[in-house]
Amino acid sequence: MIWLSHLPVRLKLKLLLALIFCIIPAAGSAQPLEVDKNFYRLIDSLEFYIDDEQSLTIEQLINNKTAPEFSRPKGSGRLWLAPNTVVWLKIQLKFSEAAQGQRYIISALGGGYQDIRIYRPLPEGGFEEFITGDKYPAHQRELKIPKYGFVIDPQAKPMLIYTRVLNKNNMHLMHWLLMNDEEFNNISERYSVINFMVYGALIGVVLFGVGIGLTLRNKNFLYFSFYILAGALLLLPFDGIGFYWLWPNNPEFNQSVVPLLTLSVFIGRLLTVYGFMETHKHSPTLAKLTRYWLVFLGVCLFSVLCGLFQLISLKLMAGLWLVSMLIGIALNVTAIRHRVSLAWPFFFVLLLPIMVAMTQIANEAGWINIGVAVVLLNKLAFILHAFLFSIFIALKIKQEERSAHVAQRDHLTGLENLNILTARFKKTMAVAQRYRWQVLVMFIDLDKFKPVNDTYGHEVGDQLLKTVADRITGSVRNIDLVSRIGGDEFLVIQSEYKNAMDIHATAEKIIDELSRPFTINNQSITIGASIGVARYPHHGETLDELMSAADKAMYEVKRSGSHGVAVYGEAEEWIGD
């Protein structure tokens, strides 16, 4: 090394700089990724070049004179791109000796990859090209999976890999991963289990809604089922599952399915809220506005079906979503103001998709970085949304049943009121006419009830009426109808009456039960009953006619001293003490 001392100073400086540049890579160039583990996120090792003119070729890239300068991703690796922009990716992999005995896979998660062309170096030189993407049939994939994956067979020397991607929208380099076969299979299995649970749960919710809708003949539940089904199907394209499993040979349909299903979700959700919030009952103006908006969404949906989906841009879809959500919230707030049952819970359920959408927007804008987890978030949030919707719908059904039960029952005794009794009497009459049976109508009036109220008060009187109702119900058959029609008056309708002995048996049993002492608030109370009986068809064709006849027969018992039974028009059949 003594000869260096004889060199000029300027030459020494040149040699030093050359040595430095040989040791230290040029600024901005990526270091080869040393591969010796199972799993890598490639964002820190990828370089990209945006080919606005879409004219760059692999031959130009490998030619040092014509190769453009690649850039390193910044921050979260989000590339803000115009629609249908070509991006070239470059990565250099250096496999350790242990890694060279395995097979690795580059996986492209996310979506919107219209055309992907990967160029892998061959051992003998040159590059191997493989073409796939959303605009090609699903069988044109190297790995038979919903997402895109490319096999990398490690070589002893560093491997320079290029990828040309025609992307539909923005691109996130965080979605590009490298993993070995074992890790890839483990992730795929977990992913399959999650999908099975997600879609199984959503199918269950859909069947729940359809079953209730068909059983109750309520179109609101069918709207709800349509909404959940459209939402579940909308999740499929984001995972690549829909394209891979449902329409693998129809890439054209894959381009239109997202706006189609998105509009279906808007329509289904708005119909569900509109129906369950009963908007047409309390807010006609808002109901009319909602119907007009639904018609407009239907026109947009029809345009998608007719192949005009190109006119529905991402910004327009965002606007449709925003207006639909605002109308849904307005429907809910109006329902809250008019005290529609369960309007408050529905309001909070409706807020869940808004919060998820805001999270997606924040992720897209780079304010937060959850990467591909946004798809999983969508799934979990939609399942929670669907289940909460189902729970509140079930509660609403129960509440409506309770309200209907209260409306159909006497508030004190719980017996059916006269309106329900009249409806059931018509069915009883139809059966009686078919089998030529007679029907008995018993009009029961309590004896000595007024003194109970006067002596012990109305609270004791109410308790007595409840116990009377229980004793009358226990004295007749399950198929017989019992109702409280006023103060201390009850009505019994006995079907399948065949002979006169049935009158005596039932009437005597009722009188015996009501003659036994009642114990109310430690007070022993004794009353009785007067019963008038009318028979169909002898004493009338309608319930009003039969009740009038039975009422007259009951007053015959009262005039004769009470506590007995009389059949209308047959005084000789009076039964008494």
Side-chain angles (χ1 to χ4, degrees), residues 8 15-16 38 90 146 279 347 357 387 436 514 517:
L15 289 172
L16 179 62
N38 294 341
K90 180 174 72 171
T279 309
F347 177 74
F387 269 107
R436 296 183 181 180
L514 299 183

Side-chain angles (χ1 to χ4, degrees), residues 99-137:
Q100 290 175 28
Q102 306 178 55
R103 189 177 79 158
Y104 278 79
I105 293 167
I106 290 180
S107 179
L109 304 181
Y113 304 122
Q114 302 300 297
D115 185 295
I116 304 180
R117 305 185 181 199
I118 188 167
Y119 298 89
R120 291 166 292 202
L122 297 170
E124 63 273 13
F127 286 85
E128 172 196 31
E129 180 188 59
F130 186 87
I131 302 175
T132 185
D134 289 351
K135 68 178 185 179
Y136 303 101

Side-chain angles (χ1 to χ4, degrees), residues 288-310:
K288 182 183 291 187
L289 174 64
T290 305
R291 289 194 294 270
Y292 284 152
W293 182 250
L294 285 168
V295 170
F296 176 71
L297 291 178
V299 171
C300 294
L301 182 64
F302 181 75
S303 72
V304 173
L305 289 172
C306 292
L308 303 177
F309 61 89
Q310 293 90 347

Side-chain angles (χ1 to χ4, degrees), residues 420-433 481 543:
I420 299 302
L421 196 71
T422 301
R424 294 189 62 185
F425 176 76
K426 292 179 181 178
K427 296 180 181 180
T428 301
M429 293 292 293
V431 175
Q433 290 171 355
L481 310 179
L543 182 59

Side-chain angles (χ1 to χ4, degrees), residues 353-369:
I354 298 178
M355 292 188 289
V356 174
M358 297 303 293
T359 304
Q360 285 183 277
I361 293 172
N363 186 60
E364 288 289 328
W367 301 332
I368 60 175
N369 183 21

Side-chain angles (χ1 to χ4, degrees), residues 247-264:
W247 47 86
N249 299 315
N250 195 349
E252 294 80 12
F253 178 71
N254 195 52
Q255 304 297 313
S256 62
V257 69
V258 171
L260 175 68
L261 293 174
T262 302
L263 288 169
S264 298

